[in-house]
Amino acid sequence: MSDAIVPGSFDPPTNGHLDIIERASALFESVTVAVVINSSKQPMFTLEERVAMLQEVCAHLPNVTIGSFTGLLVEYARLRQAAVIVKGLRAVSDFEYELQMALMNRRQSPDIETVFMMTGSEYSYLSSSIVKEIARLGGSVEGLVPDSVGQHLREKARL
Ligand code: PNS
């Protein structure tokens, strides 16, 4: 089996992300979780914080490493010798944007395949944005993010 890459902003990583990373790690020889550096979004967590949180929550997965990239995802995938991009799909609403990205990535680099995994139904309503909003407004994020991430979220939300 080939090596895979799981890209994203991970601002912060949620239990939905972790579900996809764990399932990818069971399917592929090695997995690189790739944190995007130059997103147009203004992140709550710095790149270093996002990488550190992912390293902590993926520590039990020996074939998973955390990296970061700027520029084209397919270039980074090539650099990591990953033949597969793994993306999670939560709902039909994700599909159009993900299809557009998958087709554009294939156009840029036909040798790299995008594979979609259905998010666990318990995470289908989960996103980093909604988790940040809940934390900012003082709600509970228990069960939505790993415990260590919840701690970081509460600290940030207090700032
Ligand atoms: O978690 P996100 O914010 O939905 O992740 C989006 C991400 C990082 C996967 C996407 O923005 C991306 O691939 N960015 C890299 C730039 C790139 O290759 N753009 C062309 C994709 S069609």
Side-chain angles (χ1 to χ4, degrees):
M1 256 303 204
S2 358
D3 297 339
I5 194 155
V6 181
S9 305
F10 303 105
D11 184 44
T14 66
N15 283 342
H17 290 131
L18 192 55
D19 172 51
I20 296 293
I21 295 166
E22 283 174 342
R23 285 158 55 201
S25 87
L27 279 179
F28 296 95
E29 224 162 85
S30 79
V31 171
T32 300
V33 178
V35 185
V36 69
I37 298 175
N38 283 339
S39 161
S40 49
K41 303 169 193 166
Q42 184 59 44
M44 176 186 247
F45 292 95
T46 65
L47 172 69
E48 292 71 23
E49 288 169 331
R50 286 178 278 153
V51 168
M53 285 187 283
L54 282 163
Q55 276 165 342
E56 199 171 348
V57 302
C58 295
H60 63 298
L61 303 168
N63 63 339
V64 172
T65 52
I66 317 301
S68 56
F69 73 104
T70 184
L72 284 179
L73 173 61
V74 287
E75 292 299 333
Y76 185 64
R78 210 191 312 278
L79 188 76
R80 300 294 307 212
Q81 296 184 322
V84 177
I85 296 168
V86 174
K87 293 300 224 35
L89 274 187
R90 288 167 299 193
V92 179
S93 49
D94 281 344
F95 180 76
E96 255 183 78
Y97 180 58
E98 291 296 342
L99 176 68
Q100 185 185 25
M101 278 203 286
L103 294 178
M104 188 55 82
N105 283 333
R106 192 195 296 160
R107 188 188 164 95
Q108 301 291 318
S109 192
D111 50 326
I112 297 176
E113 196 65 62
T114 300
V115 167
F116 291 104
M117 282 186 186
M118 297 304 146
T119 302
S121 55
E122 64 273 44
Y123 307 126
S124 61
Y125 59 93
L126 203 53
S127 70
S128 295
S129 313
I130 204 162
V131 161
K132 281 185 283 193
E133 184 168 338
I134 294 290
R136 279 195 189 104
L137 299 174
S140 167
V141 293
E142 205 183 324
L144 306 179
V145 293
D147 289 345
S148 56
V149 172
Q151 183 63 38
H152 294 302
L153 258 173
R154 281 187 289 276
E155 282 161 16
K156 281 275 178 190
R158 271 199 292 270
L159 295 179

